[in-house]
DNA sequence: TGTATATATGATCGATTACTCATATATGGA
DNA sequence: TCCATATATGAGTAATCGATCATATATACA
């Protein structure tokens, strides 16, 4: 049986990789094609493809084909909220850490 | 070098496990001792201890000893916000899925 | 139809994760 | 001091993850 915690964990697992977070940020700012993401992130094409697949399979992204290209969009805008909050938490942690040297 | 995405990914990795999410929910509602969490979640003691260690190491939880017990508290309340948003996203996904049968 | 381009996937491999059992450590109380 | 209790950890193992290389597929276009 799948409990709420299982679904939540699936979402977190999907975004629990630096490159997947970077991919989502690029899509957030309008870049929604494989061909533009790969060179920007310096990722091997096959590797990028697999990361995108993980994001689609987990339901974080939706994808559709347009000719040769595969385009992506966020399935639920609240995913960005998750990224923002995590960024805030990380920022607070870093500031607390550097206080020592102030 | 550690980028923002690395820190965000670390936070998501820490909460990317159903039992760790359940642990956080228990701490959220006032249960902050190993000895009460283990039986409630039906986890082996050593397994629980390791999950708690992951949460502390990642900075999600803070811990302190009090006699025999080790107590835990959330390090940043925004972690709960992450859990709530993920729960909302999961809920929306489930509803969309069951629409088919409506 | 042949070729270039964009994306996907099979196979492989090393690293990491989650779990369990057994044992160690550390504290409190008889 | 001895024992019970709470927690931590070493060792072992199966499963999963992330990356890469090579290759397959699928579409557009000359």
């Amino acid at each position: 049986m799948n409990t709420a915690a299982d679904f939540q964990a699936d979402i977190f697992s999907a975004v629990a990789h630096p490159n997947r977070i970077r991919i989502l940020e690029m899509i957030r700012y309008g870049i929604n094609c494989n061909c533009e993401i790969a060179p920007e992130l310096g990722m091997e094409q096959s590797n990028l493809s697999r990361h995108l697949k993980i994001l689609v399979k987990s339901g974080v992204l939706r994808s559709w084909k347009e000719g040769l290209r595969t385009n992506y969009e966020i399935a639920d805008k609240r995913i960005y909220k998750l990224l923002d909050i995590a960024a805030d938490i990380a920022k607070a942690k870093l500031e607390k850490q550097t206080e020592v040297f102030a």
Side-chain angles (χ1 to χ4, degrees), chain A:
Chain A
M1 201 201 97
N2 275 345
T3 65
D6 290 309
F7 285 113
Q8 286 163 286
D10 286 344
I11 293 168
F12 290 131
S13 297
V15 296
H17 190 287
N19 278 337
R20 290 201 288 275
I21 291 175
R22 292 188 191 106
I23 289 168
L24 291 174
E25 290 295 352
M26 295 195 71
I27 289 172
R28 182 179 204 172
Y29 293 110
I31 292 157
N32 69 344
C33 167
N34 245 334
C35 52
E36 294 171 86
I37 296 172
E40 179 71 25
L41 297 184
M43 292 175 70
E44 179 137 333
Q45 178 271 321
S46 59
N47 191 15
L48 172 62
S49 179
R50 285 198 159 85
H51 278 295
L52 284 163
K53 195 177 181 178
I54 289 168
L55 289 167
V56 170
K57 196 172 174 213
S58 70
V60 168
L61 290 181
R62 268 193 294 265
S63 71
W64 67 99
K65 299 280 279 185
E66 196 174 335
L68 278 179
R69 306 166 48 140
T70 305
N71 294 307
Y72 298 89
E73 69 179 8
I74 199 84
D76 189 317
K77 291 253 202 280
R78 285 171 289 194
I79 295 288
Y80 294 141
K81 190 82 191 154
L82 289 181
L83 300 185
D84 289 342
I85 293 172
D88 285 349
I89 296 170
K91 192 159 161 261
K93 204 173 358 175
L94 273 176
E95 277 163 14
K96 195 160 290 180
Q97 203 176 295
T98 46
E99 259 170 34
V100 183
F101 309 107

